[in-house]
Amino acid sequence: MTSHIVGYPRMGPKRELKFALESFWEGKSSAEDLKQVAADLRASIWKQMAEVGIKFIPSNTFSYYDHVLDTTAMLGAVPPRYGWNGGEIGFDVYFSMARGNDSVPAMEMTKWFDTNYHYIVPELGPDVKFSYASHKAVEEYKEAKALGIDTVPVLIGPLSYILLSKPAKGVDKSFSLLSLTKKIVPIYKEVVAELKAAGATWIQIDEPSLVMDLEALQLQTFTNAYSELESSFSGLNVLIETYFADVPVQTYKALTSLKSVAGFGFDLVRGTRTLNLLKSGFPPDKYLFAGVVDGRNVWADDLAASLCILQVLESIVGKEKVVVSTSCSLLHTAVDLVNETKLGKEIKSWLAFAAQKVVEVNALAKALVGQKDQAFFASNATSHASRKSSPRVRNESVQKAVAALKDSDHRRATSVSTRLAAQQKKLNLPILPTTTIGSFPQTGELRKVRREYKAKKINEFEYVNAMKEEISKVVKLQEELGIDVLVHGEPERNDMVEYFGEQLAGFAFTVNGWVQSYGSRCVKPPIIYGDVSRPRAMTVFWSSTAQSMTRRPMKGMLTGPVTILNWSFVRNDQERHETCYQIALAIKDEVEDLERAGISVIQIDEAALREGLPLRKSEQPFYLEWAVQSFRITNCDVKDTTQIHTHMCYSNFNDIINAIINMGADVITIENSRSDEKLLSVFQEGVKYEAGIGPGVYDIHSPRIPSTEEVADRINKMLAVLDSKVLWVNPDCGLKTRKYSEVEPALRNMVAAAKLIRIKLASGK
C-alpha cells in the first residue's frame, strides 16, 4: 500500500503562521518565536500524515513567504540591491526581497501558474553568482527525522525555476535565461548530496512547467539538466512531479525517458488526457504517482470513480508501481473540515479539506491492495448521491436566464470614445485624474466592529453607524488629499469575494477555510455549490451613503464575475463558464441598481481574469471568449454617461491585452509598478488603447512610501507611451493591508506628483 501527498497547507488550521509572521514584522516577537511556531506547525502536519498512514510524506513544502523565494535563497540568487554579502541567508534579506524595506523596493510578485497563490519572481542575469545559501531543505528533513518521520524533501526543479524567472533590470534582451540552468545544476547537486548524506531515500522535484507548451530548446534544457544530475541521483529514488494540466506528448516522452528517475507524478484531475498517454506506454520498473484526489478544490472525492482509474493504471504499470496521490499540493485548499462548525450538515457531507483529502488518499491506497473500507466508501457514495439530488443545487429560472444569453455579444451600443466624451461632460475631471482602487486600511477597531456584529454583540443600528463613521472618515481624508474620484473604503467588507458570495444564492461559507495567497495574506474562498442568483441589492446602500457625503464622484465597488469564480471553490458538476454566466447576471442586476441610485462611476474588479487563463495555448481562446463575455454582460445596458471601471492585479497581462481591450471597460486600473513597468512595453510595441487606463504608480504590497519625485517619474514613463487624455493616476491595488501611517503620505505624494505633471503639461514643457 503506497500513498503520497504532493504538499500541504502551511498557515495552520487557524492561521497560526500568519499571526506569527505579522507579529515578527511588527517587532512584537523575535525570530526565535517565529521559528518555534513554524516548527510546531511542521511537526503537527508530519505527525498527522504519519498517523493516517501516508507513506510518502513531503518536507520542505513549508515556507515563510513562498517556495520560489525559498529556492532563490537556496541558490543564493539575491539581487545586489539587498546588500547580501554571502553566507546563510537570514530573515532580513529574505523578507526584504519579499516585502522591500525602507531603502529598496520588493521584488516583483505574480501568480503561481493559474492559481491565486503568488510567488516572488527571481531576477536573473549573466552576472548572478549562484551559491548554496540556504540549507532549509536539509534542515527540515533532519527535523522530521528527529521526530521519527522519514519524509520526502521537495525541491522546485531547475527548469521550472528558470522559466518562472525574469531577466534582471539592465540585462540584454538577447541573453537567454535558459543558459543559466547549467550554473544552478551544481547547486542542486550539493543539495541532493546533503540530503542523501542525511539519510533521505526519496526526493521529490517539482517541474510544473512541464505542463506548458514548451519550445524545443526548453525541453532540451530540461533533458540536459537531468542528464547532468544523473550521477547525483545514484543510490536515491527521485520523483519528478507535474501538476495543473496535461503533459504534452513530446514532453511526456522526454520525461519518461529519464533513466535516473524512479517515479513520475501526474495530475489526473486537471490532466485527464494524460491518462491516454499512460495507456500508450509507461516505462517498466518506474513508479507512477497518480494524482486522482483533487488538490485544488474542496469537494469530496468520488472514491468509486477514482478507484476505477487506479485499477486501470495498475493494469498498465503493474500492481506494485502505482502510488495514490493528490493532483497537486494541498496548499490550494482549506486545512481541516473539522474546524467548520457553521456549515449545514448536508453541504458539509459533500466536502473534503486538506486533512480529509489525506484520509481519502490513504483509503484509496488501501482499497487498491484489497483493504477497502466498505463503510467509508458507502458513506462517500451516499454523499455524492445527496449532492446530485439536492433541490438546493438547481434553480430553473437561473438556468433559463443563462440559456437566453446566447443571442447577443453584450457590447455597449456606442464606442468607448463617444462614452468617454459623455462621461467627461458629466464628471468634469482634470487631466490625469487621481483615484484609488477601492479598499482603505482595515484597522483593528474596524475588524472588531464586524466581529461583534456577526456575534450579535452589537445591533444593526450600532453597526451601520460605525460603518458610516468610517466611510465619512475615508471620504474626508480623500477630499483633504485632493483625490478626484473617491471610494468609500469598503469598511463593511472583510474580503472582496466573500462579501458578495455571502449575499448571493448558491454560495456557502466557512469559518476557518483559509487559504494562503502570499506571505501572511490569507483568503477564505466561498464555496459555490448551486445555481447563483441575487436575492437583493448588495452595495447600493453603502455607495449611496458615501455619495451623499461628497460632491465628488464616488465609485460603486463590485467584484466581477470571473474574479468571483476564480477566487471561489467552484462546483464541479457543471462547466465553469455556465457558473460564470450565472454570476454575471447577478452582478448585472447590482450594476443597474447602482446606476438608478445615482452612482455615475462603477468599478467591476476583474483582478483574477488573467489568473484563470488555461496553461495550454489551445484552451486559451475559449476561456477568454466566455470570460470577456461575462464581464460585458454585467454592464451592457448602462447609460453612456455611466463610467465603467475595472481593475486587474499582479499577473502578466501583455499576452492578453487584446482580450482586455475587448472587455469594453471605460477605464482600467492595472498593476504596473512592481513588475518594472513591463505593462508599458505593450504600448511601446504599438498596441492602441483608446479607453482610460491607470497603470499603478506604486506598490501597495510593500510598506515602503514612494516619494513625489518617484511617482512623478513613473507618470512620465507612462506619458511616453500613453496619451495624457486617457491616463489615470492610482496605486497598484487596494489599500486594505496597509496602515494609515503608510497610506496617507503615499497618497499625498501620489496626488502631488499628478498635480506637478499637470502643471508641466499645461505649460507645454
Side-chain angles (χ1 to χ4, degrees), residues 96 126 134 136 140 145 237 276 331 409 432 451 490 492 520 666:
S96 290
S134 171
K136 175 178 173 293
E140 286 190 18
K145 194 173 182 181
N237 294 296
N276 293 327
L331 170 70
D409 66 0
L432 306 181
R451 281 197 307 270
E490 304 176 10
E492 78 284 10
S520 67
D666 298 312

Side-chain angles (χ1 to χ4, degrees), residues 392-409:
R392 68 171 70 197
V393 170
R394 189 171 176 85
N395 182 322
E396 289 300 329
S397 63
V398 172
Q399 294 281 336
K400 288 177 181 177
V402 169
L405 291 172
K406 296 172 183 176
D407 300 329
S408 170
D409 66 0

Side-chain angles (χ1 to χ4, degrees), residues 54-238:
I54 300 298
K55 179 178 179 181
F56 296 107
I57 297 171
S59 61
N60 198 41
T61 58
F62 182 90
S63 179
Y64 289 104
Y65 210 87
D66 87 76
H67 59 313
V68 179
L69 183 61
D70 293 348
T71 308
T72 293
M74 182 185 84
L75 297 171
V78 180
R81 65 181 178 275
Y82 298 107
W84 177 63
N85 296 313
E88 189 80 3
I89 290 174
F91 282 161
D92 284 352
V93 172
Y94 181 87
F95 288 128
S96 290
M97 289 191 287
R99 307 177 73 239
N101 56 44
D102 291 341
S103 58
V104 291
M107 294 166 71
E108 179 184 353
M109 181 170 66
T110 195
K111 297 289 176 73
W112 172 250
F113 293 88
D114 59 347
T115 75
N116 188 31
Y117 178 71
H118 299 65
Y119 73 94
I120 301 298
V121 182
E123 301 173 12
L124 304 180
D127 299 327
V128 177
K129 301 289 190 295
F130 296 102
S131 64
Y132 187 11
S134 171
H135 294 67
K136 175 178 173 293
V138 179
E139 289 166 358
E140 286 190 18
Y141 173 78
K142 290 179 177 178
E143 188 180 315
K145 194 173 182 181
L147 296 171
I149 301 169
D150 189 32
T151 60
V152 179
V154 179
L155 306 173
I156 291 178
L159 177 73
S160 292
Y161 180 77
I162 292 293
L163 293 183
L164 292 167
S165 303
K166 70 172 186 178
K169 191 175 284 187
V171 171
D172 193 279
K173 289 183 179 179
S174 64
F175 179 75
S176 171
L177 293 183
L178 284 173
S179 66
L180 296 175
T181 308
K182 54 191 170 188
K183 290 189 176 183
I184 66 173
V185 163
I187 313 298
Y188 277 87
K189 287 183 176 181
E190 288 187 66
V191 178
V192 169
E194 269 201 23
L195 287 169
K196 199 191 305 185
T201 56
W202 277 86
I203 292 178
Q204 176 181 316
I205 302 181
D206 286 2
E207 289 284 11
S209 291
L210 292 179
V211 304
M212 308 290 283
D213 297 300
L214 298 181
E215 298 168 2
L217 179 59
Q218 294 170 331
L219 197 52
Q220 187 58 53
T221 300
F222 166 76
T223 301
N224 292 345
Y226 283 86
S227 294
E228 181 67 24
L229 285 166
E230 187 171 338
S231 60
S232 301
F233 293 162
S234 177
L236 195 63
N237 294 296
V238 174

Side-chain angles (χ1 to χ4, degrees), residues 361-376:
V361 166
N362 198 61
L364 286 166
K366 290 174 72 175
L368 200 58
V369 295
Q371 300 174 25
K372 185 176 181 180
D373 185 333
Q374 298 291 350
F376 189 70

Side-chain angles (χ1 to χ4, degrees), residues 256-513:
T256 54
S257 295
L258 296 177
K259 293 183 171 50
S260 57
V261 173
F264 307 101
F266 299 104
D267 181 339
L268 299 179
V269 176
R270 292 191 173 224
T272 52
R273 285 175 292 185
T274 300
L275 192 59
N276 293 327
L277 292 176
L278 292 167
K279 290 176 181 177
S280 69
F282 188 80
D285 302 323
K286 302 290 186 183
Y287 287 91
L288 170 61
F289 286 69
V292 293
V293 174
D294 193 350
R296 287 183 60 172
N297 217 325
V298 293
W299 303 108
D301 187 66
D302 185 339
L303 295 178
S306 291
L307 185 58
C308 286
I309 292 171
L310 291 166
Q311 288 167 340
V312 170
L313 295 173
E314 194 177 55
S315 69
I316 297 168
V317 304
K319 199 171 184 64
E320 303 299 323
K321 296 297 182 181
V322 176
V323 180
V324 183
S325 183
T326 53
S327 64
C328 62
S329 173
L330 297 175
L331 170 70
H332 308 289
T333 192
V335 179
D336 196 341
L337 196 56
V338 169
N339 296 315
E340 300 308 321
T341 55
K342 295 186 178 180
L343 277 173
K345 185 177 180 181
E346 182 182 37
I347 290 178
K348 194 171 181 179
S349 74
W350 302 343
L351 305 176
F353 291 180
Q356 288 70 46
K357 289 176 185 292
V358 169
V359 174
E360 289 178 337
V361 166
N362 198 61
L364 286 166
K366 290 174 72 175
L368 200 58
V369 295
Q371 300 174 25
K372 185 176 181 180
D373 185 333
Q374 298 291 350
F376 189 70
F377 270 70
S379 174
N380 177 265
T382 300
S383 296
H384 278 272
S386 160
R387 186 176 166 209
K388 285 178 182 177
S389 61
S390 175
R392 68 171 70 197
V393 170
R394 189 171 176 85
N395 182 322
E396 289 300 329
S397 63
V398 172
Q399 294 281 336
K400 288 177 181 177
V402 169
L405 291 172
K406 296 172 183 176
D407 300 329
S408 170
D409 66 0
H410 303 283
R411 293 181 186 274
R412 290 170 77 178
T414 55
S415 68
V416 68
S417 57
T418 300
R419 299 197 305 269
L420 287 174
Q423 292 156 12
Q424 179 58 18
K425 188 174 180 180
K426 181 176 183 178
L427 299 172
N428 192 30
L429 297 172
I431 199 166
L432 306 181
T434 55
T435 190
T436 64
I437 304 307
S439 61
F440 264 64
Q442 298 264 319
T443 63
E445 184 61 31
L446 191 56
R447 291 191 180 97
K448 180 184 176 185
V449 170
R450 284 202 305 264
R451 281 197 307 270
E452 289 182 344
Y453 179 59
K454 282 196 171 185
K456 298 183 179 179
K457 292 181 179 179
I458 61 173
N459 61 35
E460 185 173 4
F461 179 79
E462 292 170 309
Y463 170 74
V464 169
N465 276 346
M467 294 300 107
K468 283 182 176 179
E469 285 180 18
E470 183 68 19
I471 291 169
S472 177
K473 182 178 80 171
V474 169
V475 170
K476 287 176 182 176
L477 173 61
Q478 291 172 91
E479 288 184 323
E480 186 265 320
L481 291 171
I483 292 172
D484 301 303
V485 176
L486 311 188
V487 298
H488 77 286
E490 304 176 10
E492 78 284 10
R493 307 179 195 181
N494 179 59
D495 176 86
M496 60 188 286
V497 173
E498 183 179 356
Y499 175 81
F500 289 98
E502 283 179 334
Q503 301 181 76
L504 293 170
F507 282 75
F509 289 87
T510 63
V511 175
N512 287 298

Side-chain angles (χ1 to χ4, degrees), residues 562-580:
V562 184
T563 296
I564 290 177
L565 183 89
N566 286 335
W567 285 357
S568 298
F569 291 123
V570 183
R571 58 190 292 191
N572 57 1
D573 60 344
Q574 75 174 8
E575 295 294 332
R576 287 175 70 88
H577 66 270
E578 294 289 331
T579 303
C580 198

